[in-house]
Amino acid sequence: MSELNLEIDGRAVAVPPGATVMDAAVKLGIYVPHFCYHRKLSIAANCRMCLVEVERAPKPLPACATPATDGMKVRTNSAGAKSAQQGVMEFLLINHPLDCPICDQGGECQLQDLAVGYGKSASRFEEDKRVVPAKDIGPLVAAEEMSRCIQCTRCVRFGQEIAGVMELGMIHRGEHAEIVAFVGRTVDSELSGNMIDLCPVGALTSKPFRFAARTWELARRKSISPHCGLGSNLVVQVKQNRVKRVLPLENEAVNECWLSDKDRYSYEALESGERLTRPMLKDHGQWREVDWPQALERVAAELTKAAGSVGILATPHSTLEELYLAGRLAQALGGSADFRLRQSDFSGDAKRGGIPWLGMPVANLDGLDRVLVVGSFLRKDHPLLAQRLRQAAKRGCRVNVLHSVDDDWLMPIANRKIVPPSELLEALRGVNGTPIGESLRSGRNVAVLLGNFAQQHPQAAQLQAAAQALGYPIGFLGEAANSVGGYLAGLPVGGNAASALGHKALVLLNAEPELDCADPQTAGQALERAQFVVALGAFRPARDGADVLLPIAPFAETAGTFVSTEGRIQSFHPAVRPAGDARPAWKVLRVLGNLAGVAGFDYETLEQVREACLRGKDLAALLSNRIDLAASPAAPAPQGLQRIAEVPIHFADALVRRAPSLQKTRDAQPPRAWMNARLMQQLGVSAGQPVLIRQGSGEARLAAALDDRLPEGCVRVPAAHASTAGLGAMFGTLGVQAVAVGKAA
Amino acid sequence: MLDYGPDAILMAGLDGANWRLADYEKRGGYEALRKLLADQVPPERVIAEVKKSALRGRGGAGFPTGLKWSFMPRQFPGAKYMVCNSDEGEPGTCKDRDLLRYNPHSVIEGMIIAGYATGSTAGYNYIHGEIWALYEQFEEAIEEARRAGYLGRDILGSAFSFEVYAHPGFGAYICGEETGLLESIEGKKGQPRFKPPFPASFGLYGKPTTVNNTETFAAVPWIMRHGGDAFLNLGRPNNGGTKLFSVTGHVARPGNYEVRLGTPFARLLEMAGGTRAGKRLKAVIPGGSSMPVLPADVMLATDMDYDSIAKAGSMLGSGAVIVMDETTCMVRALERLSYFYFEESCGQCTPCREGTGWLYRVVHRIETGRGRAEDLALLDNVSDNIAGRTICALGDAAALPVKSFLKHFRHEFEHHIEHRSCLVSGPDSEPKWGRAGAHLPPAMARAA
Ligand SMILES: Cc1cc2nc3c(=O)[nH]c(=O)nc-3n(C[C@H](O)[C@H](O)[C@H](O)COP(=O)(O)O)c2cc1C
Ligand code: SF4
Ligand code: FES
């Protein structure tokens, strides 16, 4: 269809059919005042701030909702339009508290800003103002000042349309209308913080940030999220060397204008009381603080002593530069280094065509019309990738799921197949001919995406090969900020995450083995066995397995580079100085290299490290999801109950584990042992009852919980939590036993 | 026999009990439908006939019904709907209730014919919750029609299938607004939609939909039986047929009267027994509380049809004629009306949500002796800032009465402000229902 030609404020513009007057104005760069309109949300047309004059229309029309038509003549600032806009502004203000100086939103309030342009200096409203009661909707979003709400319903529409769940709604009519959460509930979406950004006034604000600073006091520093593989772009807001708030930095190709709550609130951990701020040595079982030279010399000596058998375990949340130096150090000292701590199958290591990645730009997810997601706790592992697929599903993309649990992704699922972990591979191999296969076959833009669970699976390489064999483009949903970057840094070196544990000296980089490794038990045993363990971390470890602790600067305190799951190389600067004596890990690793006499380790700047790491590498050419692997027979069905272990969203890394507000959310509730009804009956346990989980040499006491969508013979027991850290492998079998109620623990 | 006046056609031959199918058929009911189907009259011919009749929507806006039906897309695959608006929330209006109570099959037959003319697959009748017994009775009537083969698949052996369902409302005025009504049927909060798109292209469940008032549908069988010309000739050009008027207020015999459009107001007033003994007529709201009030002399020189009342400066609306005699304090009357719109605003759009409360509070202040000299200009201006700037017409409905009361009875408001007392004193000025706002929530009542 041909474009529509119209005129706004005397300037000609052409827009495609279906565009609104607002779209046309935006195209011309003409600002039409608005509150309820948001380009990512449906049109509500309720605030009426965007009223404009349209030639031959008897009344002013809302620009946001009025379709552009050919030959239309619009005036956004004629006397008529202005008077309509001013009238609306007066209405918005009559019941709005005019106490900007004590409002948390002051200085960054759309209502305040527009009132300057469209409001009067005095009010004609002399009646009492409306009072709307405060609400408690959870630990992240403050709804303390609902009298400030202007009923634009952006928050409501965000829930319905973007988060996929309507957790806020408007009850009552007219002046009594109020935004509320469902009776007695909180707002639990993993994307809830975006409502704060969307709220044009001070009604919904950030609970942790409230009254902590004024917007104009804050320095804005760009950064990159250290959490999931998406690499969300951040604005870190700083006052007096303290991170006060994190906001999204708009990047349509990555996080759009959104952030997951994890990305938004994990900064709170920077001020955790568990921060490690001084190097520490263990002498005869006693910890004492030492200065850096002393600690480094000790570490260098021990590593030199163990030369030939140094294992470095880094989390994939470490920066590219850190991982690069870790790899070089392992190479030089002799040993191995890896970042894939939660993975357990490395049989594909020599068989892969390149670095596993998303297989396409993130933005291309929008255009898929068929997708199969294999082994992923998508919503919690990749909140914003899930959001992309949710929007795609809305546009008709058929989302198929093959997994061991059937969690609600808050989007229509075309077909789902839920099987025990041991049957995942066979199920994937047999997809063709099933409804999932049929669904994929009917698509034109198809992808098979392998999630964290598939990557952590003991037959991960075979799963990759099976996915490849389906004949569609495949992609990996990268677990962490540097799941691609780790490979680019040259890791693994000299083995893999499992074999690295066998070395005499162990270096832990950001890692808490009992929480970050595929099998906490073997990791724990390795730590005990090792002659020497040094932990480079930002926090005091919960478990005392090291001989030396070196405080390093985490996210926001250090510079570095993450390579996202789509292969986007994103470098960032520190937003604040490190806490206490903490140092950037790349510097620590460099000095260790120097002290251990490693040649060519004389980097003076981070840029030099990055340069050395990337020199001669063409990332685009390195990315490949190809695998040349003969299909092996599926593993025999294991005896006993199979464990299904996810990494709960707010326990995935050391930072988020210590973010206090996130730890108060529903997502951070202690793990439970989920079973289906039949298993519960077999075991004679009921929901809520304590059960004893035994795996290997360890046990955990959890509350039983019912999830009847779980496959037969499986118990869902999350990993990465203190309460389950004594258990064994994330994939494996375990025993469950009812604990007699009343019996002492 | 129920007496709606000598010219009644919709309400003729009713005795209060003869609402059932057999009675309706005895009065010639469903003949029109039978003939249409037997003769396989093309749907366009039905629409043409309705156009010729100059039937205008009885729900408020007086939009030509035939024209509205012609907006329904002909070639549309899938469901299309006819929706009957029996929400009847407009203060003063109580005619649809009588129609449903005494002659429900006329509405059902009208809906079926409309469905036939527009190629619709189903009809919904949205009946306000305050008349629950009539909702149940309507369900019974539908069942009778279904059993007789007037509803369902292949009606009377023709190729036309159509269903009718009843749907109860729960007492929100805004659910009478046609798109709020559609939302409500869909199970959502009754909030009007922004138009465009209009229901004819995106209506109930996103399908092409026509919403008509109960009385509009009830007139259709008569038109098809007697012809569009006959209906037109009952009224005036562009104002075809008879109309039910709900005459309330200070008259001797309040009630529903069916008269030909174009009947002089004086005649209608006479049918309702005239004003109460010894009292002079002061003002009339001729079309339901949302329409501008007119002074007695203007009304007494006006005929009751859409165009004449428009010329006189008001609107025929839903046909609720609210009669006020000299004992009425116009300030208090407006206070009452403004309170209604304040309480019934759905609250989604700013000018209505904020403006209706403002209007009410200012009028309330004036009525209670706390008015200020600048209040009248303020009321005028706030009304202007509401009217024409809202999502639905409730905003206009709240603004128009204020403007008209001020226009015609400004001196009463000025008197209240200046003298802190009422120009019209008398025992009758205390309304039966007490003071508006008496049942505000505690916090607000304190403020008021
Ligand atoms: C606030 C508001 C309330 C309304 N209430 C009713 C009602 O109770 N009954 C009705 O028939 N129309 C009502 N209408 C008018 C309807 O929106 C619609 O115009 C009408 O049902 C169309 O039917 P008609 O063409 O047969 O008149 C209302 C309109 C507004 C703005
Ligand atoms: S005008 Fe009033 S009733 Fe109509 S949509 Fe707006 S707020 Fe709701
Ligand atoms: S921005 Fe258009 S009505 Fe709110």
Side-chain angles (χ1 to χ4, degrees), chain A residues 95 124 127 130 172 175, chain B residues 189 345 354 361 365 381:
Chain A
N95 274 307
R124 298 192 289 174
E127 325 304 319
R130 167 171 70 222
H172 300 318
E175 243 192 53
Chain B
K189 190 174 176 184
S345 162
E354 305 296 340
R361 287 188 175 85
R365 252 204 356 249
N381 182 255

Side-chain angles (χ1 to χ4, degrees), chain B residues 55-65 68-69 83-90 93 95-96 126 128 172-181 192 195 210-217 290 306 317-318 340-341 344 392-397:
Chain B
L55 170 65
R56 294 172 63 170
R58 306 303 196 215
F63 194 85
T65 304
K68 195 185 235 185
W69 291 5
V83 172
C84 176
N85 189 341
S86 303
D87 194 53
E88 197 163 50
E90 182 79 356
T93 318
K95 63 187 178 70
D96 297 337
Y126 188 93
H128 68 102
Y173 174 57
I174 196 56
C175 289
E177 196 281 339
E178 57 184 7
T179 55
L181 185 151
K195 286 147 273 185
T210 294
V211 183
N212 275 129
N213 172 251
T214 321
E215 188 184 350
T216 312
F217 281 119
S290 305
Y306 294 92
S318 63
F340 175 79
Y341 293 104
E344 295 295 340
C392 82
L394 192 144
D396 304 304

Side-chain angles (χ1 to χ4, degrees), chain A residues 140-190:
Chain A
L140 303 180
V141 182
E144 293 294 320
E145 319 231 355
M146 295 314 284
S147 297
R148 302 188 190 281
C149 168
I150 57 168
Q151 280 86 9
C152 70
T153 66
R154 276 184 176 191
C155 55
V156 177
R157 284 174 287 144
F158 173 83
Q160 292 171 313
E161 297 161 18
I162 306 296
V165 53
M166 184 179 178
E167 291 185 299
L168 289 180
M170 195 162 88
I171 54 160
H172 300 318
R173 274 201 313 248
E175 243 192 53
H176 313 306
E178 279 184 62
I179 298 290
V180 295
F182 198 83
V183 188
R185 299 242 198 106
T186 48
V187 171
D188 300 325
S189 159
E190 65 282 355

Side-chain angles (χ1 to χ4, degrees), chain B residues 139-350:
Chain B
E139 292 260 29
E140 240 182 289
I142 293 174
E143 197 44 46
E144 285 184 325
R146 195 174 287 134
R147 262 184 272 126
Y150 295 125
L151 283 173
R153 291 210 59 77
D154 303 335
I155 294 173
L156 302 176
S158 73
F160 175 60
S161 304
F162 190 74
E163 267 303 340
V164 169
Y165 307 98
H167 190 104
F170 286 94
Y173 174 57
I174 196 56
C175 289
E177 196 281 339
E178 57 184 7
T179 55
L181 185 151
L182 297 181
E183 290 280 299
S184 178
I185 295 184
E186 290 182 11
K188 302 178 193 148
K189 190 174 176 184
Q191 286 187 334
R193 301 173 182 168
F194 179 79
K195 286 147 273 185
F198 291 92
S201 53
F202 190 94
L204 187 62
Y205 302 111
K207 303 294 181 194
T209 301
T210 294
V211 183
N212 275 129
N213 172 251
T214 321
E215 188 184 350
T216 312
F217 281 119
V220 169
W222 197 96
I223 293 171
M224 295 319 293
R225 226 172 47 236
H226 303 273
D229 282 329
F231 191 78
L232 173 62
N233 290 335
L234 289 177
R236 282 188 176 166
N238 197 32
N239 295 268
T242 61
K243 168 91 187 80
L244 274 161
F245 288 98
S246 308
V247 186
T248 61
H250 297 149
V251 289
R253 281 197 308 274
N256 286 318
Y257 298 91
E258 186 182 347
V259 299
R260 297 166 175 236
L261 281 172
T263 302
F265 168 71
R267 165 81 190 116
L268 180 64
L269 183 63
E270 195 183 300
M271 287 170 77
T275 45
R276 295 174 306 172
K279 299 288 195 264
R280 261 188 322 129
L281 182 68
K282 179 175 186 174
V284 178
I285 306 178
S289 68
S290 305
M291 303 307 165
V293 67
L294 292 174
D297 54 332
V298 176
M299 274 313 287
L300 288 169
T302 300
D303 297 336
M304 297 304 286
D305 63 70
Y306 294 92
D307 295 338
S308 304
I309 293 186
K311 222 166 86 201
S314 185
M315 285 166 76
L316 185 112
S318 63
V321 180
I322 301 172
V323 178
M324 293 174 264
D325 71 18
E326 56 187 325
T327 64
T328 311
C329 165
M330 297 309 274
V331 180
R332 175 160 299 179
L334 180 62
E335 180 200 29
R336 185 64 216 170
L337 288 183
S338 294
Y339 182 67
F340 175 79
Y341 293 104
F342 163 50
E343 272 302 318
E344 295 295 340
S345 162
C346 87
Q348 67 173 324
C349 64
T350 305

Side-chain angles (χ1 to χ4, degrees), chain A residues 530-554:
Chain A
Q531 291 167 8
F532 175 76
V533 179
V534 54
L536 284 70
F539 304 97
R540 283 195 305 279
R543 203 179 277 186
D544 190 3
D547 301 294
V548 179
L549 299 177
L550 300 179
I552 59 165

